[in-house]
């Protein structure tokens, strides 16, 4: 007999794998082609992250850059230190991290409605399939 905890673990694994597969497919099939991942702010975040990695601080063109919050460039600079200065490597890592969002949605729904496991599972599946969560 399968216990409730075992069912929950299978649900978490299934939601994560579904979310990961969809995000990997969208990134590999669309976003990575012709550098479609570059958005309005992408270049700025990348340049600030490069400056942080090089030890120049949160700067852009040798001037302090606090137009945007520094968390994302700091995150990218850390990835650049680990993987080299490659936006693509940082994005692949973020694709894997983003696959945890549907799992968090599932766990939140389960915490809010502990007796409604199908509701939590549905919420997690919507999170895995939601185009906005997949693209951004």
């Amino acid at each position: 007999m399968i216990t409730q905890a075992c069912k929950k673990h299978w649900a978490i694994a299934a939601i994560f794998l579904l979310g990961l597969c969809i995000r990997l497919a969208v990134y590999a099939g669309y976003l990575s082609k012709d550098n479609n991942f570059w958005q309005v702010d992408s270049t700025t975040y990348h340049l600030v992250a490069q400056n942080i990695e090089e030890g120049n601080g949160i700067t852009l063109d040798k001037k302090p850059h606090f137009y945007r919050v520094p968390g994302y460039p700091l995150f990218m600079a850390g990835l650049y230190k680990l993987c080299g200065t490659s936006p693509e490597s940082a994005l692949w890592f973020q694709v894997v991290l983003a696959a945890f969002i549907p799992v968090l949605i599932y766990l939140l729904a389960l915490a809010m409605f502990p007796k409604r496991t199908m509701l939590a599972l549905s919420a997690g599946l919507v999170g895995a399939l939601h185009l906005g969560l997949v693209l951004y």
Side-chain angles (χ1 to χ4, degrees):
M1 181 182 237
I2 298 175
T3 65
Q4 209 49 18
C6 189
K7 285 182 185 178
K8 184 166 53 168
H9 288 39
W10 277 106
I12 289 171
I15 291 169
F16 174 77
L17 289 174
L18 177 65
L20 180 64
C21 289
I22 290 171
R23 283 155 179 77
L24 288 173
V26 168
Y27 182 75
Y30 170 67
L31 292 174
S32 66
K33 306 295 185 215
D34 300 322
N35 292 326
N36 287 329
F37 56 81
W38 288 109
Q39 299 296 319
V40 176
D41 295 341
S42 300
T43 304
T44 305
Y45 286 126
H46 170 67
L47 293 173
V48 172
Q50 280 183 316
N51 284 326
I52 293 169
E53 180 197 11
E54 293 167 0
N56 299 327
I58 302 170
T59 59
L60 188 61
D61 298 327
K62 298 182 181 181
K63 297 176 190 155
H65 183 79
F66 291 100
Y67 180 70
R68 294 174 184 85
V69 292
Y72 186 59
L74 287 167
F75 171 76
M76 286 183 62
L79 290 176
Y80 287 175
K81 285 263 191 219
L82 293 173
C83 305
T85 308
S86 166
E88 290 85 6
S89 296
L91 289 172
W92 280 110
F93 184 76
Q94 290 174 71
V95 165
V96 174
L97 281 180
F100 284 102
I101 293 171
V103 173
L104 294 174
I105 292 170
Y106 167 78
L107 293 173
L108 177 63
L110 200 58
M112 291 174 65
F113 308 103
K115 296 188 188 292
R116 311 286 298 271
T117 54
M118 287 306 292
L119 175 73
L121 185 60
S122 299
L125 291 174
V126 167
L129 300 171
H130 191 279
L131 188 60
L133 292 175
V134 171
L135 288 176
Y136 297 104

